[in-house]
Amino acid sequence: MRNRFVVGNWKMHGNRVSNRALLEALVKGMQGLEGVECAVCVPFPYLGEVAAQLAGQPGKARLAWGAQNLNEHAQGAFTGEVSAQMLAEFGCRYAIVGHSERRQLFGETDAVVAGKYAAALAQGLKPILCVGETLAQRDAGQTENVVGRQLQAVLDLSGRKSLENAVVAYEPVWAIGTGRTATPAQAQAVHEFLRARVLPDTSILYGGSVKPDNAPALFGMQDIDGGLIGGASLVAADFIAIARAAQRKG
Ligand code: PEP
């Protein structure tokens, strides 16, 4: 059976005080959330404090943590960068790779993303590989070409079997932070396309303006195994409501 995941991407938000309060509320909300793997991917400087705060969680359902990016090299003269080994030292279970903001704003190519995916795996981190098309690409009928190419770059470097230890997230660029969600049918169509290219047990998350009110319909689709959540992951009640929608998935 495919695992269900709900992962928060805090992006460049938060501070030490607000993080503490948010995590406290999330940990409380996690009670009874068995069956869904929940995690928050936080800015690098907060990893130590987040790890310390989440280390001794009560109950069976525990909130994991991870990073939003990493460097593809193991170590070296890469000023300002952070390696997979450093993330592992802080107890990260996950690292997002290939988020569209990294691809678009920081020029990350498919090859760089594939390197980051491999670097995460090498240190025992579970990469969350993001793929997704822009609105222009969708309008030009290029969606499958684009997400297929983004996925293939990773499979070419690390092999299909590597997906045993990874998660894929379909995030249409036009739906991220815009309030414009893909319809469940639009998302399902791309998930079905991806499903045919990954392992039978690979979890595929949807991301792009997921909120408590649209999560049940999205997660109700056959090939959507949970969500990668940006804005709504900064509001504990919303994140927990979304995780509960994933839990209810049959
Ligand atoms: C994201 O950051 O990956 C994301 C999906 O953001 P939002 O939920 O705000 O659209």
Side-chain angles (χ1 to χ4, degrees), residues 64-82:
W65 61 94
Q68 303 166 16
N69 182 31
L70 75 163
N71 188 272
E72 63 272 35
H73 297 96
Q75 60 177 332
F78 302 104
T79 301
E81 293 293 285
V82 172

Side-chain angles (χ1 to χ4, degrees), residues 16 19-25 27 47-57 65:
R16 295 170 74 187
N19 294 348
R20 176 156 284 278
L22 177 54
L23 291 177
E24 259 169 35
V27 167
L47 276 171
E49 281 183 339
V50 168
Q53 194 176 341
L54 294 181
Q57 292 173 69
W65 61 94

Side-chain angles (χ1 to χ4, degrees), residues 51-130:
Q53 194 176 341
L54 294 181
Q57 292 173 69
K60 275 198 212 135
R62 302 213 173 96
L63 185 65
W65 61 94
Q68 303 166 16
N69 182 31
L70 75 163
N71 188 272
E72 63 272 35
H73 297 96
Q75 60 177 332
F78 302 104
T79 301
E81 293 293 285
V82 172
S83 72
Q85 192 178 359
M86 294 170 186
L87 299 181
E89 258 197 287
F90 283 96
C92 287
R93 187 176 303 160
Y94 300 99
I96 297 173
V97 300
H99 191 281
S100 64
E101 286 153 17
R102 301 292 321 168
R103 293 180 191 263
Q104 293 201 311
L105 304 176
F106 301 97
E108 290 187 8
T109 61
D110 289 344
V112 167
V113 173
K116 292 181 180 220
Y117 174 98
L121 283 175
Q123 287 298 327
L125 305 175
K126 206 178 253 264
I128 299 170
L129 170 68
C130 297

